[in-house]
Structures are given as C-alpha cells and as structure tokens.
Amino acid sequence: MIHEILPVGPLQCNCSILGDETSREAIVIDPGEEIPRILALLAKHSLTVKQIIITHAHIDHIAGAARLKRLTGAPVLYNQNDLPLVRMMDVQATWLGIPTPKVENPDDSLEDGKLIAIAGLTGSILHTPGHTEGSVCLYLPAQTLLFAGDTLFAGSVGRTDLPGGDTRKLLTSIHDRLLTLPDEVEVIPGHGPRTTIGSERSSNPFLI
Ligand SMILES: [Zn+2]
C-alpha cells in the first residue's frame, strides 16, 4: 500500500493519500487545503482518486474537497449529520479568518458500517460522534490502520466546545468503538503525530 500523509493548511490537518500499488487506485482523506500538493503526490505515484473521504465537516478537513472532486471526478463522502456544519461554513471561515470555501452536499453519507473499497483496499466506517455529530473514523483491518479524524489524538482527544460537540458522546465513541480495536492498530489522527490504540489505551490522560 502507498500511504502519504501531508499536513495541509494553517491548522496542519493530516491529509492522507492511500493507494494500491497494483490497481493504482487511491482514496484521499481530508483534503482540507493545498490541492496542488495533493495532485502532485497522486501524479508522482500514478494514482487515480476514486473516493474522497471526509472525517468531519470542519473547514480545515473539508475545504478542498469540492475542488479535488472537480479536478478528479471522484465522489466526496461524509456523514450527513455534519450538514449543519456545512450550512455554517461562512461562520467557520471567520474562525480562521479565511474566505468561505465552496462546500457541497456529500455524494453519499458515511453511515456506520459502510464499506469503503477500491481495487486492492477495503475499510469500514465507524461513526464516532462527539467532536461533531457526524464524525467518522475509517478502519482498515488488513493494514491495522485507523484514520481517526479529530476524535482521538496522540495523548489527547477531540475538542467538544465547538457547535455540535458533546464530551460524553466523544468519550463513549472512543471507549466503545476505538479502544475495542486491537492494541497494534496504528492511529493516524486528524492533526499531529501518529500513535497506536495500545499506547492511547495505556497512557492517554483523557481516557483513564
Ligand atoms: Zn475538527
């Protein structure tokens, strides 16, 4: 598997490119910004984007999605419970002091249990509300890899003070859906360094 992580934009959202070496098909996760850099990496690996997955509709994760879709033709998928956040993209833009990006409705909603498959790679969606109502994680069991969005970080958890945030739901999501995964699962958070389920289970101060 080809896996590139690029921190993009002012908040350094971890955008991931996941590609299959044989089929050259790819998934892009959270293209928040810097679409030219993402396209250059796709070209470098001769990858064709088949799906654009958004872990949640905060501006730093979703702002580049419509542009990447327009340039590649790939559908944009996110959970429909985050549509209220899409409706307030102008408010989100003022948080960062940037122009309001064009954000469209999802081509399909990422519901819990939904299978995400391209030729050579298969994952499933875990609905993990709390950071936002529509927050999801993508789990690839064969690669023991979890894309956690802003639900779980190395040594921390997602903030819940923004609209739609709910601390009790966040902790329930993490305990019931993420900490039940095997210790060796590698976690790629929405920001900052990677970690593992085992290390967060044993040492994350927010989860003890
Ligand atoms: Zn967020």
Side-chain angles (χ1 to χ4, degrees):
M1 185 184 66
I2 297 162
H3 184 196
E4 296 268 10
I5 303 176
L6 1 21
V8 296
L11 297 182
Q12 295 285 280
C13 162
N14 282 332
C15 169
S16 273
I17 297 171
L18 281 180
D20 179 69
E21 289 112 324
T22 309
S23 69
R24 312 316 288 192
E25 292 188 356
I27 296 170
V28 175
I29 302 166
D30 287 350
E33 248 229 44
E34 304 189 42
I35 300 305
R37 237 178 104 207
I38 295 169
L39 291 171
L41 273 172
L42 289 165
K44 175 184 144 193
H45 293 293
S46 306
L47 292 171
T48 302
V49 188
K50 291 294 177 181
Q51 308 211 15
I52 301 166
I53 304 279
I54 308 298
T55 59
H56 64 292
H58 276 152
I59 189 167
D60 51 322
H61 296 256
I62 201 172
R67 185 162 172 226
L68 185 61
K69 176 185 171 178
R70 195 170 69 245
L71 292 167
T72 62
V76 174
L77 313 178
Y78 59 91
N79 184 280
Q80 60 186 352
N81 289 311
D82 269 358
L83 280 171
L85 289 171
V86 170
R87 304 282 172 258
M88 52 180 284
M89 203 48 65
D90 52 342
V91 177
Q92 293 199 48
T94 61
W95 295 341
L96 295 186
I98 60 169
T100 305
K102 184 167 175 280
V103 175
E104 296 166 354
N105 286 350
D107 292 291
D108 198 1
S109 180
L110 292 178
E111 302 296 331
D112 190 60
K114 184 179 175 66
L115 283 182
I116 299 298
I118 56 170
L121 275 180
T122 307
S124 64
I125 292 296
L126 308 175
H127 182 212
T128 51
H131 176 63
T132 68
E133 195 54 42
S135 281
V136 300
C137 299
L138 173 63
Y139 178 45
L140 280 71
Q143 285 77 19
T144 59
L145 198 53
L146 179 81
F147 293 88
D150 287 359
T151 296
L152 178 65
F153 297 112
S156 187
V157 297
R159 60 190 286 186
T160 52
D161 57 328
L162 296 169
D166 184 315
T167 304
R168 209 161 47 99
K169 278 189 188 173
L170 177 83
L171 293 175
T172 301
S173 289
I174 294 172
H175 281 284
D176 292 359
R177 306 305 306 279
L178 303 188
L179 296 189
T180 47
L181 298 172
D183 275 350
E184 62 271 21
V185 170
E186 191 172 8
V187 180
I188 311 295
H191 303 267
R194 61 180 78 200
T195 180
T196 64
I197 289 293
S199 107
E200 295 315 306
R201 183 188 289 113
S202 62
S203 68
N204 188 315
F206 294 90
L207 303 177
I208 293 167

